[in-house]
Amino acid sequence: MKSKDFTSGLRSMSVDELNDELTAAKKELFNLRFQNATNQLDNTSRIKEVRRNIARIQTVLSQTKNTVEA
């Protein structure tokens, strides 16, 4: 149910806010990967969660762009 709440929150954002959220998620993923490479990461499942959140953000962005073009 958490992903539905996250997705519904994304749908209420503007395109600029979505781009900012996407940038922040990509930075977080980079930091998590860096921590994992240096054996400092305790919760490795967070990488998977952030990757899925990035995909959700990109999906909402593409849907928003398609509705604007149509």
Side-chain angles (χ1 to χ4, degrees), residues 12-23:
S12 65
M13 292 183 180
S14 69
V15 175
D16 291 334
E17 291 172 333
L18 286 171
N19 284 327
D20 291 342
E21 188 77 22
L22 182 62
T23 303

Side-chain angles (χ1 to χ4, degrees), residues 8-61:
S8 64
L10 291 176
R11 293 191 192 284
S12 65
M13 292 183 180
S14 69
V15 175
D16 291 334
E17 291 172 333
L18 286 171
N19 284 327
D20 291 342
E21 188 77 22
L22 182 62
T23 303
K26 285 185 177 182
K27 285 181 182 179
E28 181 181 1
L29 181 61
F30 174 79
N31 289 332
L32 288 172
R33 285 181 176 161
F34 194 85
Q35 289 176 1
N36 192 30
T38 59
N39 293 324
Q40 295 177 347
L41 187 62
D42 295 330
N43 186 6
T44 57
S45 65
R46 181 76 179 131
I47 293 174
K48 185 176 182 180
E49 184 180 341
V50 172
R51 285 180 58 222
R52 288 184 177 182
N53 285 342
I54 289 172
R56 288 184 184 107
I57 295 167
Q58 289 175 334
T59 301
V60 172
L61 267 173

